[in-house]
Amino acid sequence: AQRVTQPEKLLSVFKGAPVELKCNYSYSGSPELFWYVQYSRQRLQLLLRHISRESIKGFTADLNKGETSFHLKKPFAQEEDSAMYYCALSFFTQGGSEKLVFGKGTKLTVNP
Amino acid sequence: GAVVSQHPSRVICKSGTSVKIECRSLDFQATTMFWYRQFPKQSLMLMATSNEGSKATYEQGVEKDKFLINHASLTLSTLTVTSAHPEDSSFYICSGTWGRGAQEQFFGPGTRLTVL
């Protein structure tokens, strides 16, 4: 079954420190993976997707098929990065419906 | 980016009544809309997927007769919680996307439903 695991519920770092939010997935096909972010009192929004291989707000994520991971990294965390981060897997069911399965999320707190 | 709105943002209703939540894509045509439910401090759980003009596909465990979804146009989907009970109290979020295959989903701000 398709599954996304984010092992850390909470992650706290100091400003300027590197940060890595872990994400592992379970999917037999070729995965389409995303990171979504939800800042306080705001709606969920896309941070980045693996197919575009871009860096957004200094964040990068590399798909590692061998380890079935899609960890999110930033070399120097900023206070404004404090938010809830969700890793998500997109796939099509046998019936042809598109689905997005979310991990449970990691709350990142960047302390001054 | 594309904008999705939801109305109302919060609603309080009595047990046994029905509540309708609207989800609109304001500046794009959403070929597919999704409805999620989010419990406090938990992740989003997909309830159903709807394509314009066709019946919604419900996730296992979601009662289709209780959560009626209509996707009448490419810019509007509605979720009606029928005969609401206190356990239906939750945060309901919709999202829309266009095209197929690894497309970004654009999320609405959510609707807080409280059933007394």
Side-chain angles (χ1 to χ4, degrees), chain A residues 36 43 86 96 98-99 103, chain B residues 4 38 43 59 100 105 107:
Chain A
Y36 281 85
R43 69 185 69 193
Y86 293 97
E98 184 176 359
K99 287 179 63 171
Chain B
V4 172
Q38 187 176 32
S43 188
E59 292 302 297
R100 285 174 68 82
Q105 287 190 22
F107 287 83

Side-chain angles (χ1 to χ4, degrees), chain A residues 31-111:
Chain A
E32 305 282 4
L33 288 155
F34 301 78
W35 276 98
Y36 281 85
V37 61
Q38 189 169 29
Y39 299 102
S40 179
R41 299 181 188 279
Q42 293 188 31
R43 69 185 69 193
L44 205 62
Q45 58 186 285
L46 179 68
L47 180 63
L48 56 80
R49 69 185 91 180
H50 93 270
I51 56 171
S52 57
R53 302 185 65 81
E54 55 194 346
S55 171
I56 303 294
K57 299 185 179 183
F59 284 97
T60 58
D62 290 317
L63 176 62
N64 186 322
K65 290 187 179 181
E67 296 183 359
T68 60
S69 68
F70 188 56
H71 303 327
L72 182 68
K73 299 177 185 179
K74 185 169 182 176
F76 307 103
Q78 303 299 315
E79 288 180 70
E80 54 266 29
D81 295 328
S82 296
M84 194 76 181
Y85 291 80
Y86 293 97
C87 183
L89 167 71
S90 175
F91 66 97
F92 284 92
T93 66
Q94 283 189 333
S97 297
E98 184 176 359
K99 287 179 63 171
L100 195 62
V101 173
F102 286 88
K104 291 188 184 297
T106 298
K107 185 175 181 181
L108 173 65
T109 302
V110 181
N111 300 299

